[in-house]
Amino acid sequence: MLIGNLFQQLYNTVDSVIVGNFAGNNALAAVGTSGPLINMLVGFFIGLGSGATVLIARYFGAQNHQKLHDAIHTFACFTLIIGIFVTAIGVLLSPLILSWMKTPADVFDGATTYLRIYFLGTLAMLIYNSGSAILRALGNSKMPLYFLMVSSVVNIILDYVFVAVFHWDVAGVAWATLIANVVSSILVIYVLLYKTNACPLELKKIRINGTILADMMKIGVPAGLQTFIVSISNTMVMSHVNSFGASAISGFTSANKFDNFLGLPLQSFSIAITTFVGQNLGAEKPERIKKGILWSVGLSFICIIV
């Protein structure tokens, strides 16, 4: 998971490197000012998705195949609904949101273009995140890593072609990200349909089980709100940085790319221990849970010190 997160952060960073070198300062600022808003969206959904991950891992550990089936298909349906809703809202309200964030006039058009194209790929991004969460809950963290490797390579190549060769500037970076997200979502859907032995996804059975969705929300909403509150504060900081102009936004964006790498080990261990605890809770092995938590905290401290 840590390697996968590094790849994901790498191709987000490459976006900024290529657009900054080949499209200029204003283009980099346009991508950067959208960053906190995108992180707020992604973080909130990942928080919500943690509720599904916990339940799926628990049912998998308990070998409760019926509830496992219902949880996976409920989460898939929920993802589709949220993805379509967020796409529509994001495309329509991008200019309004950027105006609230006090985006400078010389950056505004580029940021609007980037954000609208990015929101068009929201469904694909959420499908990948949901599919990866399901696979991790079933004990398979390698396939999401392979998907991220492929999508990272696709994104980096398309970034260079669209920006450096075709000179599409901000739009080129956004389209490259969208296509990379589509590629990773197709891969995860294929594996869930045809390569998952524990409980394969069946398209015709995708529907919401109200009881299971309620259980997911009980766990996921507090986690999602926690991430949302942190992201709101980052968005407010970004709105103040925006008032200093394109150069300040570019500098802030570049520094944040480095800062984001520092948090990856803790994020990875946090998600891993969530799955580990869920599986062992289902299997009724509390001693393994205690040991797993101690190891997770210990490894996190080592990473912080290093």
Side-chain angles (χ1 to χ4, degrees), residues 168-192:
W168 289 359
D169 294 344
V170 172
V173 176
W175 282 115
T177 301
L178 186 152
I179 293 170
N181 284 332
V182 169
V183 169
S184 60
S185 68
I186 290 172
L187 290 172
V188 79
I189 290 171
Y190 174 79
V191 169
L192 287 172

Side-chain angles (χ1 to χ4, degrees), residues 30-281:
V31 173
T33 197
S34 307
L37 185 62
I38 291 169
N39 291 337
M40 183 169 65
L41 163 70
V42 176
F44 181 65
F45 183 79
I46 290 176
L48 282 179
S50 67
T53 304
V54 168
L55 281 186
I56 293 169
R58 187 187 302 173
Y59 296 146
F60 179 69
Q63 296 296 298
N64 189 329
H65 298 291
Q66 183 57 52
K67 286 194 172 181
L68 179 62
H69 174 277
D70 291 344
I72 288 174
H73 289 79
T74 294
F75 190 36
C77 187
F78 177 74
T79 299
L80 292 174
I81 294 170
I82 292 295
I84 294 169
F85 175 77
V86 171
T87 298
I89 294 297
V91 171
L92 290 173
L93 298 185
S94 287
L96 181 61
I97 295 169
L98 289 169
S99 66
W100 287 343
M101 293 176 64
K102 303 174 184 176
T103 305
D106 55 347
V107 174
F108 192 89
D109 288 344
T112 302
T113 298
Y114 180 84
L115 205 52
R116 278 182 160 162
I117 296 172
Y118 192 96
F119 272 118
L120 285 174
T122 299
L123 182 58
M125 177 189 66
L126 296 187
I127 288 173
Y128 166 75
N129 282 316
S130 297
S132 297
I134 291 171
L135 290 173
R136 286 193 293 265
L138 300 176
N140 184 352
S141 62
K142 291 183 179 179
M143 294 308 295
L145 167 62
Y146 301 150
F147 303 153
L148 269 179
M149 286 180 171
V150 172
S151 63
S152 296
V153 171
V154 169
N155 185 76
I156 291 169
I157 293 173
L158 292 181
D159 267 343
Y160 183 80
V161 172
F162 290 165
V163 178
V165 179
F166 293 166
H167 304 292
W168 289 359
D169 294 344
V170 172
V173 176
W175 282 115
T177 301
L178 186 152
I179 293 170
N181 284 332
V182 169
V183 169
S184 60
S185 68
I186 290 172
L187 290 172
V188 79
I189 290 171
Y190 174 79
V191 169
L192 287 172
L193 287 173
Y194 303 112
K195 300 294 182 180
T196 304
N197 295 325
C199 185
L201 183 68
E202 299 177 65
L203 296 179
K204 62 182 180 182
K205 294 186 179 180
I206 292 178
R207 61 178 61 89
I208 286 180
N209 180 306
T211 302
I212 287 180
L213 181 61
D215 289 340
M216 288 180 182
M217 292 301 100
K218 286 177 185 176
I219 302 170
V221 168
L225 287 176
Q226 177 183 333
T227 308
F228 186 77
I229 290 167
V230 174
S231 298
I232 280 286
S233 68
N234 292 335
T235 303
M236 293 175 68
V237 169
M238 192 75 242
S239 69
H240 288 295
V241 173
N242 286 346
S243 66
F244 294 102
S247 293
I249 298 170
S250 298
F252 187 76
T253 300
S254 300
N256 262 345
K257 294 300 180 183
F258 177 73
D259 184 53
N260 289 340
F261 277 104
L262 300 181
L264 293 182
L266 305 188
Q267 292 174 21
S268 301
F269 284 124
S270 297
I271 299 172
I273 194 61
T274 301
T275 302
F276 183 87
V277 168
Q279 290 181 349
N280 283 281
L281 189 63

